[in-house]
Amino acid sequence: MLKKLTFLLFTVCMVAVVSLSTTTEPTTTKRTEAQNLVSIQVTGTTIDLVPKRIDVITTSPEVEIRKIVAAGGKKNKRDVPNAVFFRGILYIFGTPESWNKATNHKFEDRDVIYTYFVESRKERAEFMTKYKLTKVTDLKGKTGHSSPLYRASPGYYVLIMAPVTKFTCAMHPQIAKSEPGKCSICSMDLIQVVSYE
């Protein structure tokens, strides 16, 4: 009886392993399919990691959104109207005009920004060195923080987001310090906030 149960358990586990191995795709395949889907060709780079987010800068965002939705992407209707989730990646589509207005860098039609998240600034520096990225500028966003923007090849940019810990007041968010302490306005204890920049 014990042998039969052991064999049955082994068979179930093997079926599960086989089904997982046949449905899991290599990350580089996902990245290539996603790039082809939005007609982006990235050349001159050895980056083999799948990003968490891809910003596609295009004069026709609606057309590109329809393509990715037709391939199985899911629109994010609530938070960001031009955002689509596809195979674990968040795609955000915007026009060159909107990007150029919101940032301090001039983007062209068909430019793309791949965003990667790392655990520290040291890891960001290692990423930059490993893939021979060239810093273009500090990209200033609407919230006032800036993130280094790197060029990997023509039309292909990379943002490497690293965590930054600050301490701020719940009542007075304009109070921000790099160390724990008290709010200079109300004397409340500052709370730790981690953001990616």
Side-chain angles (χ1 to χ4, degrees):
M1 179 71 172
L2 185 59
K3 283 184 179 180
K4 284 184 179 179
L5 283 173
T6 306
F7 178 75
L8 181 62
L9 183 60
F10 174 77
T11 306
V12 169
C13 288
M14 287 308 294
V15 167
V17 168
V18 169
S19 66
L20 281 174
S21 65
T22 56
T23 57
T24 304
E25 298 177 36
T27 54
T28 53
T29 303
K30 288 183 187 178
R31 182 169 164 256
T32 304
E33 287 174 6
Q35 289 170 343
N36 291 341
L37 186 64
V38 289
S39 305
I40 294 167
Q41 298 213 336
V42 175
T43 57
T45 179
T46 58
I47 297 175
D48 55 357
L49 304 171
V50 177
K52 294 290 182 194
R53 170 178 166 165
I54 298 176
D55 287 276
V56 180
I57 301 165
T58 174
T59 54
S60 54
E62 298 81 17
V63 173
E64 300 298 341
I65 289 169
R66 280 197 297 274
K67 284 182 193 176
I68 204 166
V69 168
K74 304 287 182 216
K75 282 192 83 172
N76 180 353
K77 296 176 183 172
R78 256 188 340 172
D79 303 326
V80 184
N82 287 349
V84 180
F85 284 100
F86 181 66
R87 296 192 177 194
I89 301 172
L90 175 64
Y91 290 82
I92 299 181
F93 297 87
T95 63
E97 295 80 22
S98 64
W99 269 91
N100 295 339
K101 185 178 178 182
T103 66
N104 58 330
H105 183 74
K106 182 161 175 40
F107 290 98
E108 306 278 332
D109 183 36
R110 308 310 301 159
D111 282 353
V112 63
I113 303 169
Y114 280 46
T115 302
Y116 300 90
F117 291 86
V118 295
E119 296 299 318
S120 66
R121 289 180 181 219
K122 180 183 176 200
E123 195 177 328
R124 175 165 51 200
E126 291 168 355
F127 190 106
M128 185 187 76
T129 303
K130 178 179 179 179
Y131 295 112
K132 299 178 178 74
L133 302 176
T134 306
K135 184 176 174 183
V136 177
T137 186
D138 284 317
L139 200 61
K140 292 180 175 57
K142 292 178 183 176
T143 59
H145 75 277
S146 63
S147 301
L149 179 71
Y150 302 95
R151 178 177 283 123
S153 64
Y156 176 39
Y157 297 90
V158 173
L159 279 173
I160 310 164
M161 308 300 279
V164 175
T165 302
K166 293 180 183 172
F167 296 86
T168 187
C169 177
M171 298 298 292
H172 305 97
Q174 71 272 24
I175 304 296
K177 298 181 181 178
S178 58
E179 302 282 329
K182 303 254 183 214
C183 175
S184 57
I185 298 172
C186 67
S187 299
M188 286 178 62
D189 287 334
L190 299 179
I191 56 172
Q192 181 176 333
V193 176
V194 178
S195 61
Y196 280 82
E197 298 179 1

Short mmCIF file of all heavy atoms in Angstrom, two decimals, residues 42-86:
data_model
loop_
_atom_site.label_atom_id
_atom_site.label_comp_id
_atom_site.label_asym_id
_atom_site.label_seq_id
_atom_site.Cartn_x
_atom_site.Cartn_y
_atom_site.Cartn_z
N VAL A 42 15.51 46.60 -31.06
CA VAL A 42 16.59 47.06 -30.22
C VAL A 42 17.86 46.39 -30.70
O VAL A 42 17.95 45.18 -30.75
CB VAL A 42 16.33 46.72 -28.75
CG1 VAL A 42 17.53 47.10 -27.90
CG2 VAL A 42 15.09 47.43 -28.26
N THR A 43 18.83 47.20 -31.07
CA THR A 43 20.10 46.64 -31.55
C THR A 43 21.24 47.23 -30.72
O THR A 43 21.10 48.25 -30.08
CB THR A 43 20.33 46.99 -33.03
OG1 THR A 43 20.28 48.40 -33.17
CG2 THR A 43 19.29 46.34 -33.91
N GLY A 44 22.36 46.55 -30.76
CA GLY A 44 23.55 47.07 -30.12
C GLY A 44 23.56 46.95 -28.62
O GLY A 44 24.25 47.71 -27.94
N THR A 45 22.78 46.03 -28.06
CA THR A 45 22.78 45.86 -26.60
C THR A 45 22.85 44.38 -26.25
O THR A 45 22.39 43.54 -27.01
CB THR A 45 21.54 46.50 -25.96
OG1 THR A 45 21.58 46.29 -24.56
CG2 THR A 45 20.25 45.93 -26.51
N THR A 46 23.43 44.11 -25.08
CA THR A 46 23.50 42.72 -24.61
C THR A 46 22.58 42.49 -23.41
O THR A 46 22.67 41.47 -22.76
CB THR A 46 24.94 42.38 -24.19
OG1 THR A 46 25.35 43.30 -23.17
CG2 THR A 46 25.88 42.45 -25.37
N ILE A 47 21.71 43.43 -23.13
CA ILE A 47 20.82 43.28 -21.97
C ILE A 47 19.88 42.11 -22.24
O ILE A 47 19.15 42.09 -23.23
CB ILE A 47 20.02 44.56 -21.69
CG1 ILE A 47 20.98 45.69 -21.32
CG2 ILE A 47 19.01 44.33 -20.57
CD1 ILE A 47 20.33 47.03 -21.13
N ASP A 48 19.91 41.13 -21.34
CA ASP A 48 19.10 39.92 -21.52
C ASP A 48 18.10 39.75 -20.39
O ASP A 48 17.66 38.65 -20.11
CB ASP A 48 20.01 38.69 -21.62
CG ASP A 48 20.94 38.57 -20.42
OD1 ASP A 48 20.92 39.46 -19.55
OD2 ASP A 48 21.69 37.59 -20.36
N LEU A 49 17.74 40.83 -19.73
CA LEU A 49 16.79 40.79 -18.63
C LEU A 49 15.45 41.37 -19.07
O LEU A 49 15.41 42.34 -19.83
CB LEU A 49 17.31 41.60 -17.44
CG LEU A 49 18.68 41.19 -16.91
CD1 LEU A 49 19.17 42.20 -15.89
CD2 LEU A 49 18.62 39.80 -16.30
N VAL A 50 14.37 40.79 -18.57
CA VAL A 50 13.04 41.30 -18.89
C VAL A 50 12.72 42.44 -17.93
O VAL A 50 12.82 42.28 -16.72
CB VAL A 50 11.99 40.19 -18.77
CG1 VAL A 50 10.60 40.75 -19.04
CG2 VAL A 50 12.29 39.06 -19.74
N PRO A 51 12.37 43.62 -18.45
CA PRO A 51 12.06 44.75 -17.56
C PRO A 51 10.68 44.59 -16.93
O PRO A 51 9.87 43.78 -17.38
CB PRO A 51 12.09 45.94 -18.51
CG PRO A 51 11.67 45.37 -19.81
CD PRO A 51 12.23 43.97 -19.85
N LYS A 52 10.42 45.39 -15.90
CA LYS A 52 9.10 45.39 -15.26
C LYS A 52 8.14 46.32 -16.00
O LYS A 52 6.94 46.18 -15.93
CB LYS A 52 9.20 45.85 -13.80
CG LYS A 52 9.97 44.90 -12.93
CD LYS A 52 9.19 43.65 -12.71
CE LYS A 52 9.93 42.71 -11.78
NZ LYS A 52 9.41 41.38 -11.78
N ARG A 53 8.73 47.31 -16.70
CA ARG A 53 7.90 48.31 -17.37
C ARG A 53 8.59 48.73 -18.66
O ARG A 53 9.81 48.85 -18.72
CB ARG A 53 7.75 49.51 -16.43
CG ARG A 53 7.11 50.72 -17.05
CD ARG A 53 6.97 51.83 -16.04
NE ARG A 53 6.68 53.08 -16.70
CZ ARG A 53 6.23 54.16 -16.08
NH1 ARG A 53 6.03 54.14 -14.79
NH2 ARG A 53 6.00 55.26 -16.75
N ILE A 54 7.77 48.97 -19.69
CA ILE A 54 8.29 49.49 -20.96
C ILE A 54 7.43 50.69 -21.34
O ILE A 54 6.21 50.57 -21.48
CB ILE A 54 8.23 48.43 -22.08
CG1 ILE A 54 9.10 47.22 -21.72
CG2 ILE A 54 8.68 49.05 -23.40
CD1 ILE A 54 9.04 46.09 -22.74
N ASP A 55 8.08 51.83 -21.49
CA ASP A 55 7.39 53.02 -22.00
C ASP A 55 7.66 53.10 -23.49
O ASP A 55 8.81 53.13 -23.92
CB ASP A 55 7.91 54.27 -21.30
CG ASP A 55 7.41 54.37 -19.86
OD1 ASP A 55 6.28 54.85 -19.68
OD2 ASP A 55 8.14 53.95 -18.95
N VAL A 56 6.59 53.12 -24.26
CA VAL A 56 6.69 53.20 -25.72
C VAL A 56 6.27 54.60 -26.13
O VAL A 56 5.16 55.04 -25.84
CB VAL A 56 5.78 52.15 -26.40
CG1 VAL A 56 5.90 52.24 -27.91
CG2 VAL A 56 6.12 50.75 -25.91
N ILE A 57 7.19 55.30 -26.78
CA ILE A 57 6.93 56.66 -27.21
C ILE A 57 6.59 56.60 -28.70
O ILE A 57 7.42 56.22 -29.52
CB ILE A 57 8.15 57.56 -26.93
CG1 ILE A 57 8.44 57.53 -25.42
CG2 ILE A 57 7.91 58.98 -27.42
CD1 ILE A 57 9.77 58.05 -25.02
N THR A 58 5.36 56.96 -29.00
CA THR A 58 4.86 56.80 -30.38
C THR A 58 3.86 57.89 -30.71
O THR A 58 3.14 58.37 -29.82
CB THR A 58 4.22 55.41 -30.56
OG1 THR A 58 3.63 55.34 -31.86
CG2 THR A 58 3.16 55.12 -29.53
N THR A 59 3.80 58.26 -31.98
CA THR A 59 2.82 59.26 -32.41
C THR A 59 1.42 58.67 -32.51
O THR A 59 0.45 59.41 -32.63
CB THR A 59 3.22 59.86 -33.78
OG1 THR A 59 3.41 58.79 -34.70
CG2 THR A 59 4.48 60.68 -33.67
N SER A 60 1.30 57.34 -32.45
CA SER A 60 -0.02 56.70 -32.54
C SER A 60 -0.21 55.67 -31.42
O SER A 60 -0.23 54.47 -31.67
CB SER A 60 -0.20 56.04 -33.91
OG SER A 60 0.89 55.17 -34.16
N PRO A 61 -0.34 56.15 -30.17
CA PRO A 61 -0.48 55.22 -29.04
C PRO A 61 -1.69 54.30 -29.16
O PRO A 61 -1.62 53.13 -28.79
CB PRO A 61 -0.58 56.11 -27.81
CG PRO A 61 -0.61 57.51 -28.27
CD PRO A 61 -0.32 57.54 -29.73
N GLU A 62 -2.80 54.81 -29.69
CA GLU A 62 -4.02 53.99 -29.79
C GLU A 62 -3.80 52.77 -30.68
O GLU A 62 -4.29 51.68 -30.38
CB GLU A 62 -5.20 54.82 -30.32
CG GLU A 62 -5.61 55.99 -29.45
CD GLU A 62 -4.73 57.23 -29.64
OE1 GLU A 62 -4.00 57.31 -30.67
OE2 GLU A 62 -4.74 58.09 -28.76
N VAL A 63 -3.08 52.95 -31.78
CA VAL A 63 -2.81 51.84 -32.70
C VAL A 63 -1.96 50.78 -31.99
O VAL A 63 -2.24 49.58 -32.08
CB VAL A 63 -2.09 52.35 -33.97
CG1 VAL A 63 -1.64 51.19 -34.85
CG2 VAL A 63 -3.00 53.29 -34.75
N GLU A 64 -0.92 51.21 -31.29
CA GLU A 64 -0.04 50.27 -30.60
C GLU A 64 -0.78 49.56 -29.46
O GLU A 64 -0.57 48.37 -29.22
CB GLU A 64 1.20 51.00 -30.07
CG GLU A 64 2.04 51.68 -31.13
CD GLU A 64 2.61 50.72 -32.16
OE1 GLU A 64 2.70 49.50 -31.91
OE2 GLU A 64 2.98 51.20 -33.25
N ILE A 65 -1.66 50.28 -28.77
CA ILE A 65 -2.45 49.67 -27.69
C ILE A 65 -3.35 48.59 -28.26
O ILE A 65 -3.46 47.49 -27.70
CB ILE A 65 -3.27 50.74 -26.93
CG1 ILE A 65 -2.31 51.62 -26.10
CG2 ILE A 65 -4.32 50.10 -26.04
CD1 ILE A 65 -2.96 52.85 -25.51
N ARG A 66 -4.00 48.87 -29.40
CA ARG A 66 -4.87 47.86 -30.03
C ARG A 66 -4.09 46.60 -30.39
O ARG A 66 -4.56 45.49 -30.24
CB ARG A 66 -5.57 48.45 -31.26
CG ARG A 66 -6.77 49.30 -30.92
CD ARG A 66 -7.68 49.54 -32.11
NE ARG A 66 -7.04 50.28 -33.18
CZ ARG A 66 -6.97 51.62 -33.26
NH1 ARG A 66 -7.50 52.35 -32.31
NH2 ARG A 66 -6.38 52.20 -34.27
N LYS A 67 -2.85 46.77 -30.90
CA LYS A 67 -2.02 45.62 -31.27
C LYS A 67 -1.75 44.73 -30.06
O LYS A 67 -1.87 43.51 -30.12
CB LYS A 67 -0.68 46.08 -31.85
CG LYS A 67 -0.72 46.60 -33.24
CD LYS A 67 0.72 46.95 -33.64
CE LYS A 67 0.80 47.76 -34.89
NZ LYS A 67 2.18 48.16 -35.19
N ILE A 68 -1.36 45.34 -28.97
CA ILE A 68 -0.95 44.57 -27.79
C ILE A 68 -2.17 43.94 -27.11
O ILE A 68 -2.10 42.85 -26.58
CB ILE A 68 -0.10 45.44 -26.85
CG1 ILE A 68 0.79 44.55 -25.98
CG2 ILE A 68 -0.89 46.38 -26.03
CD1 ILE A 68 1.89 45.31 -25.27
N VAL A 69 -3.31 44.63 -27.14
CA VAL A 69 -4.55 44.07 -26.58
C VAL A 69 -5.01 42.89 -27.43
O VAL A 69 -5.44 41.86 -26.92
CB VAL A 69 -5.65 45.15 -26.45
CG1 VAL A 69 -7.01 44.53 -26.16
CG2 VAL A 69 -5.27 46.15 -25.36
N ALA A 70 -4.89 43.00 -28.75
CA ALA A 70 -5.28 41.91 -29.65
C ALA A 70 -4.43 40.66 -29.40
O ALA A 70 -4.89 39.54 -29.61
CB ALA A 70 -5.14 42.35 -31.10
N ALA A 71 -3.20 40.86 -28.92
CA ALA A 71 -2.32 39.71 -28.64
C ALA A 71 -2.52 39.14 -27.24
O ALA A 71 -1.84 38.21 -26.85
CB ALA A 71 -0.87 40.13 -28.81
N GLY A 72 -3.46 39.72 -26.49
CA GLY A 72 -3.76 39.18 -25.16
C GLY A 72 -3.45 40.11 -24.00
O GLY A 72 -3.59 39.73 -22.85
N GLY A 73 -3.03 41.33 -24.28
CA GLY A 73 -2.76 42.30 -23.22
C GLY A 73 -4.04 42.76 -22.55
O GLY A 73 -5.11 42.75 -23.17
N LYS A 74 -3.93 43.17 -21.30
CA LYS A 74 -5.09 43.64 -20.53
C LYS A 74 -4.92 45.12 -20.24
O LYS A 74 -3.93 45.54 -19.66
CB LYS A 74 -5.21 42.89 -19.19
CG LYS A 74 -5.30 41.39 -19.35
CD LYS A 74 -6.64 40.97 -19.87
CE LYS A 74 -6.71 39.46 -19.96
NZ LYS A 74 -7.44 38.98 -21.05
N LYS A 75 -5.91 45.93 -20.63
CA LYS A 75 -5.84 47.37 -20.41
C LYS A 75 -6.01 47.68 -18.93
O LYS A 75 -6.78 47.07 -18.23
CB LYS A 75 -6.92 48.09 -21.19
CG LYS A 75 -6.58 48.25 -22.66
CD LYS A 75 -7.51 49.19 -23.35
CE LYS A 75 -7.03 50.60 -23.10
NZ LYS A 75 -7.73 51.61 -23.86
N ASN A 76 -5.27 48.68 -18.49
CA ASN A 76 -5.40 49.20 -17.13
C ASN A 76 -6.26 50.45 -17.23
O ASN A 76 -5.76 51.52 -17.51
CB ASN A 76 -4.01 49.52 -16.57
CG ASN A 76 -4.06 50.06 -15.17
OD1 ASN A 76 -5.12 50.33 -14.63
ND2 ASN A 76 -2.90 50.24 -14.58
N LYS A 77 -7.55 50.30 -17.01
CA LYS A 77 -8.48 51.40 -17.26
C LYS A 77 -8.54 52.41 -16.11
O LYS A 77 -8.93 53.54 -16.32
CB LYS A 77 -9.87 50.84 -17.53
CG LYS A 77 -9.92 50.01 -18.78
CD LYS A 77 -11.27 49.39 -18.98
CE LYS A 77 -11.24 48.49 -20.21
NZ LYS A 77 -12.44 47.72 -20.38
N ARG A 78 -8.19 51.98 -14.92
CA ARG A 78 -8.38 52.85 -13.76
C ARG A 78 -7.28 53.90 -13.60
O ARG A 78 -7.54 55.08 -13.63
CB ARG A 78 -8.43 52.02 -12.48
CG ARG A 78 -9.80 51.87 -11.94
CD ARG A 78 -9.82 51.23 -10.61
NE ARG A 78 -8.59 50.50 -10.32
CZ ARG A 78 -8.31 49.98 -9.17
NH1 ARG A 78 -9.14 50.09 -8.20
NH2 ARG A 78 -7.20 49.32 -8.98
N ASP A 79 -6.06 53.45 -13.38
CA ASP A 79 -4.99 54.35 -12.98
C ASP A 79 -4.36 55.10 -14.15
O ASP A 79 -4.24 56.31 -14.13
CB ASP A 79 -3.89 53.58 -12.23
CG ASP A 79 -4.45 52.86 -11.01
OD1 ASP A 79 -5.38 53.41 -10.40
OD2 ASP A 79 -3.97 51.77 -10.70
N VAL A 80 -3.93 54.37 -15.15
CA VAL A 80 -3.25 54.97 -16.29
C VAL A 80 -3.97 54.55 -17.56
O VAL A 80 -3.96 53.37 -17.92
CB VAL A 80 -1.76 54.51 -16.35
CG1 VAL A 80 -1.03 55.23 -17.47
CG2 VAL A 80 -1.06 54.76 -15.02
N PRO A 81 -4.62 55.48 -18.24
CA PRO A 81 -5.45 55.08 -19.40
C PRO A 81 -4.67 54.44 -20.55
O PRO A 81 -5.20 53.62 -21.26
CB PRO A 81 -6.10 56.39 -19.84
CG PRO A 81 -5.31 57.48 -19.22
CD PRO A 81 -4.65 56.92 -18.01
N ASN A 82 -3.42 54.79 -20.74
CA ASN A 82 -2.64 54.24 -21.85
C ASN A 82 -1.72 53.12 -21.41
O ASN A 82 -0.65 52.93 -21.98
CB ASN A 82 -1.82 55.34 -22.53
CG ASN A 82 -2.69 56.26 -23.36
OD1 ASN A 82 -3.86 55.98 -23.61
ND2 ASN A 82 -2.15 57.37 -23.79
N ALA A 83 -2.13 52.37 -20.40
CA ALA A 83 -1.29 51.28 -19.88
C ALA A 83 -1.92 49.93 -20.20
O ALA A 83 -3.14 49.77 -20.15
CB ALA A 83 -1.13 51.42 -18.37
N VAL A 84 -1.06 48.97 -20.55
CA VAL A 84 -1.49 47.61 -20.86
C VAL A 84 -0.54 46.63 -20.19
O VAL A 84 0.68 46.80 -20.25
CB VAL A 84 -1.49 47.35 -22.40
CG1 VAL A 84 -1.94 45.94 -22.70
CG2 VAL A 84 -2.36 48.36 -23.12
N PHE A 85 -1.10 45.62 -19.52
CA PHE A 85 -0.29 44.54 -18.97
C PHE A 85 -0.22 43.41 -19.99
O PHE A 85 -1.24 42.98 -20.51
CB PHE A 85 -0.92 43.98 -17.67
CG PHE A 85 -0.72 44.88 -16.50
CD1 PHE A 85 -1.73 45.73 -16.07
CD2 PHE A 85 0.49 44.89 -15.80
CE1 PHE A 85 -1.55 46.56 -14.98
CE2 PHE A 85 0.68 45.71 -14.72
CZ PHE A 85 -0.34 46.55 -14.31
N PHE A 86 0.99 42.96 -20.28
CA PHE A 86 1.16 41.87 -21.21
C PHE A 86 2.33 41.01 -20.75
O PHE A 86 3.45 41.49 -20.64
CB PHE A 86 1.40 42.40 -22.63
CG PHE A 86 1.56 41.34 -23.67
CD1 PHE A 86 0.51 40.50 -24.01
CD2 PHE A 86 2.77 41.16 -24.33
CE1 PHE A 86 0.65 39.51 -24.97
CE2 PHE A 86 2.93 40.19 -25.29
CZ PHE A 86 1.86 39.35 -25.61
#
